[in-house]
Each structure stands twice: as C-alpha cells, then as structure tokens.
C-alpha cells in the first residue's frame, strides 16, 4: 500500500493518507497534519487586555480547582466587553488564562450562548426545548419576532435556543441574561417594547425579582 506520494511501506492497512500541506483542519476524511508548528500560548506582556476584563477573568479562574473550568464564564466576560467572541477577545482571554486561542475557540464554537460572529449588542433568547415546547414556546417566539418587526427593534439578536435550565417557568426567555416567564403570546408586545425603550423587561416576572411567583402562587 502506498502513501499520498506513492511511497510504499509507509502506511498501515486501513490508515488514511496524509495530504501534503493541508489548508484546513482535519475532518473525518482527512488526516491531521502532524508536522505543523504547535499552537502557542500568547505572551501576556504582548497582549493588551483591559484591566477590568483581566480582573474579571482572573476572578473566575480563582473560583475553580482547575482554572480551565473558567473558560465559559471568561469567554462570556470577553463577549460582554467586545460584543462577541472576536479573534481579539479570544486572544485576550487566552493571554490571561494562559491557554491557546485554539482551545478557547473550540469552547466558543460549541456553546451557542457564545457568539463567534458579530450580532446585535443585546439579545433575546427564547427557549424552545422540550418543556417549553410543550407549552407553546414556538408560538411565543413567533409572536416576539412579529412584534420586533412591527416595532422596528434593532441591534438585538432574537433566536430560539435549546434548554436554558429554567423548565419550571416554561415557556421562558432570556433577555440579556434576565430570565422571564412563563410567557404567552400576549407578552410579546410589551417584552419587545421594554427592550427597545431600555426599560426593565416584565417587572415582577423575572426569576431574580423579590416578588416573583409562578402563576400558581409558589416561589420558583
């Protein structure tokens, strides 16, 4: 059996050829380039990181026995600072955490709450996972999208997401991290309008509100 260059005895049966000078990451049908330079950890002295962001990332790192576990909150902090997980945001985070940008990129591209493309500076995520779906979450989402178009809401990313871990208040949504619910189609207009006007979203309906209660009268 020959390799990609026609040389024999260099490959074991069943192995894939190593393509010369691969121009992309290896996939299921392409072997990894084992000869390329290893990923480098950014030199902290050469990366300009805002002090407030650095302090926040270091605080998250101090909360875990293994600082790698702080990757998600650290990237969330960088995303809040930059608006999205840009190359610069990831490099700054990597410099503080002393990991490779590639490591953090793998985290950012896996979790959908981390945005790897520039979007609106604010967001409204409507959960349409199982518990919320069974309580007509898709109808709520459609009503919110319609209200956003009618009102002319701009600079806000609106989309469906998988479980936000608040099944007890289904159907629910996250408005810039503020959990509100249970929601109905009738809430869409006021919800969108409050975001546009910069008001608190649905006062008394947020999970952290002191007077918040579920519709049947119990605390969440």
């Amino acid at each position: 059996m020959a390799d990609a260059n026609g040389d024999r005895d260099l490959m074991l049966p069943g192995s894939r050829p190593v393509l010369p000078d691969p121009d992309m990451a290896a996939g299921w049908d392409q072997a990894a380039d084992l000869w390329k330079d290893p990923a480098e950890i950014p030199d902290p002295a050469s990366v300009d990181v805002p002090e407030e962001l650095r302090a926040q990332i270091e605080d998250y790192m101090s909360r875990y026995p293994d600082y790698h576990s702080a990757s998600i909150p650290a990237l969330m902090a960088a995303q809040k600072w930059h608006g999205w997980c840009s190359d610069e945001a990831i490099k700054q985070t990597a410099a503080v955490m002393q990991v490779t940008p590639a490591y953090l990129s793998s985290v950012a591209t896996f979790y959908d709450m981390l945005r790897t493309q520039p979007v609106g500076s604010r967001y409204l995520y409507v959960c349409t996972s199982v518990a919320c779906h069974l309580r007509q979450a898709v109808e709520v989402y459609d009503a919110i999208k319609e209200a956003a178009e009618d009102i002319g809401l701009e600079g806000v990313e609106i989309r469906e997401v998988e479980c936000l871990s608040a099944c007890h208040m289904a159907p629910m949504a996250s408005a810039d991290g503020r959990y509100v619910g249970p929601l109905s189609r009738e809430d869409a207009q006021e919800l969108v309008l409050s975001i546009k006007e910069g008001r608190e979203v649905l006062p008394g309906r947020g999970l952290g509100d002191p007077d918040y209660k579920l519709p049947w009268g119990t605390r969440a």
Side-chain angles (χ1 to χ4, degrees), residues 109-191:
T109 54
F110 184 83
Y111 293 97
D112 63 4
M113 76 282 268
L114 295 167
R115 304 186 291 273
T116 55
Q117 297 292 330
V119 292
S121 58
R122 305 184 65 188
Y123 67 83
L124 177 58
Y125 294 163
V126 181
C127 178
T128 54
S129 196
V130 177
C132 289
H133 180 79
L134 292 174
R135 295 180 64 86
Q136 290 74 52
V138 174
E139 292 185 8
V140 172
Y141 171 75
D142 290 341
I144 288 173
K145 288 285 287 184
E146 182 178 344
E149 293 176 2
D150 293 342
I151 293 173
L153 185 65
E154 297 180 350
V156 179
E157 179 192 16
I158 303 176
R159 64 185 175 96
E160 300 178 60
V161 295
E162 285 301 314
C163 187
L164 289 171
S165 302
C167 304
H168 56 288
M169 56 192 304
M172 56 80 61
S174 172
D176 293 326
R178 174 176 166 79
Y179 278 22
V180 290
L183 300 173
S184 68
R185 290 182 56 89
E186 287 69 32
D187 294 316
Q189 191 82 4
E190 173 57 25
L191 193 157

Side-chain angles (χ1 to χ4, degrees), residues 1-18:
M1 181 178 294
D3 67 2
N5 297 317
D7 297 323
R8 302 183 65 83
D9 302 325
L10 295 181
M11 294 177 59
L12 296 174
S15 62
R16 302 189 183 97
V18 177

Side-chain angles (χ1 to χ4, degrees), residues 42 49 69 86 102 104 107 110 144 152 190:
V49 183
S69 299
S86 62
L104 292 178
V107 176
F110 184 83
I144 288 173
E190 173 57 25

